[in-house]
Amino acid sequence: ERFRKAESFFAHLDECSPQSWRYVGTCLCPTGEMIVCSWQRSKTSASPSIKTACIFPLCEDQRFYDAIVAPLDQIVKTAKEHTEETKEHAPESRDEVHQWWKTRREIDNNLE
């Protein structure tokens, strides 16, 4: 039942999402690893592109949070600030909209 519901959710997500959108989810395990999963509609296949990675702490003398979680937090914070700024000062001209998307892509590309 759980698998069927997940399949239904992803099918709906595939129908509703623009092809260029990528969804990313993370989970910090109690043992220190971080699991990262991304989902994106495939440009060449009927099946979506789903990638999952387990990121292990780099080494004992470098804290996992500082190496992995803190940079991710900064990316999310920057994306949120960019969205909040847009609520206050929405781009009006074609050039402003183009610049907004350019900035957004730069922020999103930091996730890769």
Side-chain angles (χ1 to χ4, degrees):
E1 174 69 18
R2 186 176 181 187
F3 180 77
R4 188 182 61 73
K5 286 186 176 184
E7 241 181 8
S8 174
F9 169 76
F10 283 118
H12 182 70
L13 191 64
D14 191 45
E15 290 173 12
C16 297
S17 299
Q19 193 168 18
S20 61
W21 284 21
R22 175 178 296 162
Y23 298 91
V24 178
T26 62
C27 176
L28 187 58
C29 300
T31 52
E33 300 87 8
M34 176 183 239
I35 297 174
V36 179
C37 181
S38 71
W39 178 97
Q40 184 174 18
R41 287 180 61 190
S42 175
K43 295 175 181 160
T44 59
S45 167
S47 300
S49 169
I50 300 172
K51 298 177 184 174
T52 303
C54 183
I55 303 169
F56 295 93
L58 299 176
C59 60
E60 291 181 22
D61 63 341
Q62 186 172 9
R63 296 190 56 217
F64 179 75
Y65 180 86
D66 294 336
I68 303 294
V69 178
L72 180 60
D73 282 347
Q74 185 57 48
I75 292 168
V76 171
K77 180 181 176 189
T78 302
K80 185 176 179 181
E81 288 171 354
H82 186 247
T83 302
E84 291 298 321
E85 289 171 7
T86 303
K87 288 178 183 178
E88 295 175 16
H89 308 287
E92 295 178 7
S93 72
R94 185 179 179 110
D95 287 341
E96 288 174 337
V97 170
H98 178 73
Q99 181 60 45
W100 187 93
W101 278 109
K102 180 180 178 198
T103 302
R104 188 64 201 203
R105 278 188 215 95
E106 290 170 359
I107 294 168
D108 293 346
N109 286 339
N110 287 325
L111 289 170
E112 295 182 12

